Amino acid sequence: MALMFVGFVKAQDFSNIKQAKPFSYSGTIEARGMFYNASGIQNRRQPTSYLLSGSPTFDIYGFQIPVSFNVSEADRSFRQPFNQFGMSPTYKWITLHAGYRNLSFSPYTLGGHTMLGAGFELNPGKLRLGFMYGRLNKATTIDTTSQSLVPFSFSRKGYAAKLGYGTDRNFFEFSYLSAQDGANTKPENLPTALNIISPAKNDVGGYAFKFTFFKNIFIESTGAISLYTSDINSPLKIDSVSNDFLKKVDGLFGINATSEYYTAFSGSVGYRNRKFGLKVSYKRIDPEFKTMGAYFFNSDLENWTVNPNFTILKGKIRFSGSLGIQHDNLKKQKRAENKRIIGSANAGFDLTKSLGIDLIYTNFSDNQRAQTALFADSLRIVQTTQTIGFMPRYYLVKPNAMHVFSGAINISNLNDYNNLLSDAGPSRNISTQQYFMNYNITFPKKQLSLFVNLNNTQLTGQGLENSFTGLTLGGNSSFLKQKLQTGINCTFTTTDSNTGDDNFIINANGNLGYLVSKKQRLGFNLFVTNNKTSAINLLRSNFTETRAELSYQFKF
């Protein structure tokens, strides 16, 4: 039996607490029986199985507490329930936070990291105040059954604050994060390989602002400086480091020789109105930039981008694009520097009320060159990836039926310009071509919908050629005043390869659903897969799989 309970209490506005109900509940409980059979291969699941699941939500004075559970025969071991509860009640311009909360004061300070603790946000008028204190990471412990510890982490606590003033169009804001690992939260008897991990601490100060001029011109920027100490127990003093900035802030933050600082900055200036927009942006993030208030960063990059967009002819023609350059190795510490040209464009055309076309184009170029040391030409990277997409659509509305025609052509090419490797073996160029055609007809009065889809994908590269062609037919219908709902679809797929590994696959499924009442529903689903292969391989053979599901659902 497997059980899992997860709960998050959403923000609730206490301004209307007098009208709120003291207690209510809603949700769904479902019982499902599953049957399985296979021929030609070994069974990949049990012949019969069951699943009882539910997702009730409890409402206490407007606080919504969703809970979910699953019970099955697949896992009869008991596992500690996973609980995460939190609340953010609001009264006028005051918001309180308690429990597990996911806040974002700045992308570089507290930027979406889940924290278990307490805090508040105050927004009287244009003033912006915020504070949060709590635990960012829970200390890991050794599994008593396997004696394993992966991954290892200390208990990490910290606080974040923000102070700002303004509106969405004009504001400035400062934020700060301070976090530290608990040095005494390391488990005892750690393996030697893990015992070298040291507790760290981090102090990050950031800012953000946006100003709008003449209604349409704007300038905005976000930046931060992160002071990171890798080992707070290091006996080495900061005097042994030649960096003047670190020596100056030593008295404020108590750092040592394992401390480093990193900067991140982004800014843009642009013009925007209803029909036209243009923005020029710049971003620079130091190598290994990190903050304990966010989970992940793309670092060691500098880029410039230009983003135009416009809409003309009363919205019948739309365009948005981006063109930029990017490079890494900002501190010239890598053996190679990668330069990229980044470009993309999206356009939409409404030729008539029924006929429209969308176009996409992307271009990414990489050029890696040697910097601090020479290296073999076989490691040089000079590549360009281009993607072109063409997507027409057509709607035909009749009194008794609606027809929808749509299609897509996507062509993607990766071209490798390293001549040394291209001459030595198969081309490293990769080409992908995808073609889709869809037709759907709906009869509203008959509550009937039919569809057909035809697709083809061709992959070429590295001396291999693969082709996938598929045809899907299906439909959906309702009977007995929509109490009985039915659906069926079948997909035929052929795969061709120059290696001789060809397959013909049929995937079919049908479903029935009957509404016993407004709160009760019975369902039946049948899935059949048949695979025929021409490959002479002991690991592959012709097989057929059948799976059926019978379900009962109750809403309350």
Side-chain angles (χ1 to χ4, degrees), residues 234-297:
S234 174
L236 301 177
K237 302 299 182 182
I238 195 63
D239 296 337
S240 60
V241 178
S242 59
N243 190 288
D244 293 334
F245 173 79
L246 293 176
K247 291 181 179 179
K248 291 180 180 179
V249 299
D250 180 28
L252 294 175
F253 300 101
I255 58 180
N256 56 42
T258 67
S259 302
E260 295 283 349
Y261 77 93
Y262 313 92
T263 61
F265 170 83
S266 62
S268 59
V269 59
Y271 174 87
R272 183 185 298 118
N273 61 28
R274 292 183 178 180
K275 298 181 178 180
F276 174 78
L278 179 65
K279 183 168 72 171
V280 180
S281 302
Y282 172 78
K283 177 183 288 187
R284 187 185 191 280
I285 302 179
D286 277 350
E288 299 184 5
F289 178 91
K290 49 191 172 183
T291 168
M292 291 183 177
Y295 290 105
F296 174 77
F297 270 103

Side-chain angles (χ1 to χ4, degrees), residues 377-395:
D377 287 343
S378 61
L379 299 179
R380 183 178 178 182
I381 298 175
V382 184
Q383 296 177 336
T384 298
T385 303
Q386 293 181 329
T387 300
I388 299 175
F390 174 77
M391 292 158 288
R393 61 189 185 278
Y394 180 73
Y395 301 89

Side-chain angles (χ1 to χ4, degrees), residues 99-101 110 113-117 132-136 158-159:
Y100 285 93
R101 296 285 81 188
L110 182 58
H113 198 294
T114 300
M115 182 181 292
L116 172 60
M132 189 72 184
Y133 173 82
R135 188 186 70 198
L136 289 95
Y159 66 89

Side-chain angles (χ1 to χ4, degrees), residues 340-353:
R340 306 181 67 197
I341 297 177
I342 305 172
S344 65
N346 295 271
F349 304 89
D350 294 334
L351 304 180
T352 66
K353 291 182 179 180

Side-chain angles (χ1 to χ4, degrees), residues 156-222:
R156 178 174 294 172
K157 296 181 179 180
Y159 66 89
K162 71 173 182 179
L163 171 63
Y165 184 85
T167 64
D168 292 338
R169 291 174 57 87
N170 296 279
F171 72 89
F172 65 87
E173 194 169 88
F174 299 98
S175 59
Y176 178 75
L177 169 79
S178 180
Q180 181 172 321
D181 291 334
N184 59 349
T185 60
K186 179 185 293 187
E188 299 179 356
N189 304 319
L190 275 176
T192 305
L194 294 175
N195 203 33
I196 61 174
I197 301 176
S198 303
K201 73 172 184 177
N202 183 214
D203 292 279
V204 193
Y207 75 90
F209 69 77
K210 180 179 180 179
F211 297 107
T212 305
F213 308 94
F214 308 109
K215 295 183 178 181
N216 302 112
I217 300 175
F218 64 90
I219 180 172
E220 56 188 5
S221 178
T222 303

